[in-house]
Amino acid sequence: MATEGPATCRVQVAEHPRLLKLKEVFKSKFGSIPKFYVRAPGRVNIIGEHIDYCGYPVLPMAVEQDMLIAVEPVKTHTLQLANTNPLYPDFSTSDNNIQIDKTKPLWHNYFLCGLKGIQEHFGLNKLTGMNCLVDGTIPPSSGLSSSSALVCCAGLVTLTVLGMHLSKVELAEICAKSERYIGTEGGGMDQSISFLAEDGTAKLIEFSPLKATDVKLPSEAVFVIANSCVEMNKAATSHFNIRVMECRLAAKLLAKYKGLQWDKVLRLEEVQANLGVSLEEMLLITEDALHPEPYSSEEVCRCLEISLQELRTQILSPNTQDVPIFKLYQRAKHVYSEAARVLQFKKICEEAPDNMVQLLGELMTQSHVSCRDMYECSCPELDQLVDICRKFGAQGSRLTGAGWGGCTVSIVPADKLPSFLANVREAYYQKNNRSLAPEKQSLFATKPGGGALVFLEA
């Protein structure tokens, strides 16, 4: 399993309407036919929000919505990219030195992240030549990981064109690292589940080293995704990176308070590991070491005995250097409590008590409250949607993904599903007159899907 690469399947394209349509559009665009197709799924994070980049395990599953790319390798060192969605303009380059503009999260830059990550891994400095047509069914900026699915898909496309082999774990690690070229300091959950997902099971994803463990979800419940219709692109704003830096600073202040070598510490998990204490004890240490009032840059410098210049150049990321205040207590409290909820969720799934769905729902709702109040990554629409979902039969509901918009995920008893869908559709989408495109108004039950694949025409 550790060395296994993504599966390759032979398919009759004529029997798959989406592949067939992609093949036809590809032919009209490039005047040739694709040699192969690559799929990478989006994901829904069931619980464990904003903790992967702090070093803690998360619990996502892949969804059926995905990125699909038709590919034709070419002899010239030219990349030509097109998208079936006319909102995303064509792009081409022959530049061997791939430059990714962090100031503009344009769609093709996510493809370039995946391409660049693989090329650099193998030490290649000539651009891999190919024609690619991208077709995505994941709503953009919805918290279902459309951007990471595109990075992963591009990474697997490049690997396949080069005829090289990497394991799923290696691919996930390369793609997680290379997505940072776009400027987001993410953790690695999205890329990991895109490659390591399997049909019928959610996964506990652990980091350092990367490892995925099956988590069997309750058969008597369904997970329902509802899109708030508020878009949030985490590469286009600094909210996300500010949270990453607040967690980094909290880790350093906690480490210094406990007499650890704070300058080597980057993640909250490292503080716990170095102290050898439980998550519950970390919450108590946070209470003692940090104050609830926001910290100014000057106070952080006083606590760490460093200059403002050192803080800005050695600790903060480029787009967070001018942030005036940091809420360290609240962010650390969320991370340590959320990490504990993930482990409780997995334990309940394993023990399967009679009131399992209720217990899992309570953890999901607690997670949302913490995201809303301690991490401040919710928004009024997400809060309203969570309330509506709980009112109409969800045992628990929470925002999923980075937040500030995007989707909620709810756990719903299977026998309540039809009435739940009808009531939520009316109460949130129709009442609020959210007359957006149908795919944006996504409200759908989902089950754990498989990971990234290569399709060859039989």
Side-chain angles (χ1 to χ4, degrees), residues 1-8 165-171 195-198 452:
M1 180 67 195
T3 57
E4 192 184 305
T8 299
H165 175 84
L166 288 170
S167 71
K168 294 175 191 178
V169 166
E170 288 169 318
L171 273 164
F195 286 113
L196 300 171
E198 290 178 69

Side-chain angles (χ1 to χ4, degrees), residues 43 67 88 105 107 110 137-148 226-237 379 382 400-408 439-440 442:
R43 62 96 190 95
M67 287 290 167
Y88 303 116
W107 81 274
Y110 292 98
T137 56
I138 310 166
S141 304
S142 65
L144 300 179
S145 205
S146 55
S147 48
S148 297
N227 194 339
S228 70
C229 303
V230 176
E231 289 198 1
M232 189 329 203
N233 184 318
K234 66 186 180 194
T237 63
C379 67
L382 282 170
T400 185
W404 297 287
C407 291
T408 61
E439 74 269 13
K440 283 280 179 53
S442 17

Side-chain angles (χ1 to χ4, degrees), residues 160-219:
T160 309
V161 169
L162 292 170
M164 304 285 204
H165 175 84
L166 288 170
S167 71
K168 294 175 191 178
V169 166
E170 288 169 318
L171 273 164
E173 288 177 331
I174 291 166
C175 290
K177 201 168 124 213
S178 66
E179 191 165 330
R180 294 180 195 142
Y181 293 133
I182 208 99
T184 42
E185 302 282 333
M189 162 176 55
D190 303 347
Q191 301 82 3
S192 303
I193 192 67
S194 198
F195 286 113
L196 300 171
E198 290 178 69
D199 275 320
T201 180
K203 295 278 185 181
L204 181 82
I205 307 255
E206 298 169 81
F207 304 96
S208 306
L210 182 57
K211 180 177 157 211
T213 310
D214 290 358
V215 176
K216 190 176 184 312
L217 300 172
S219 55

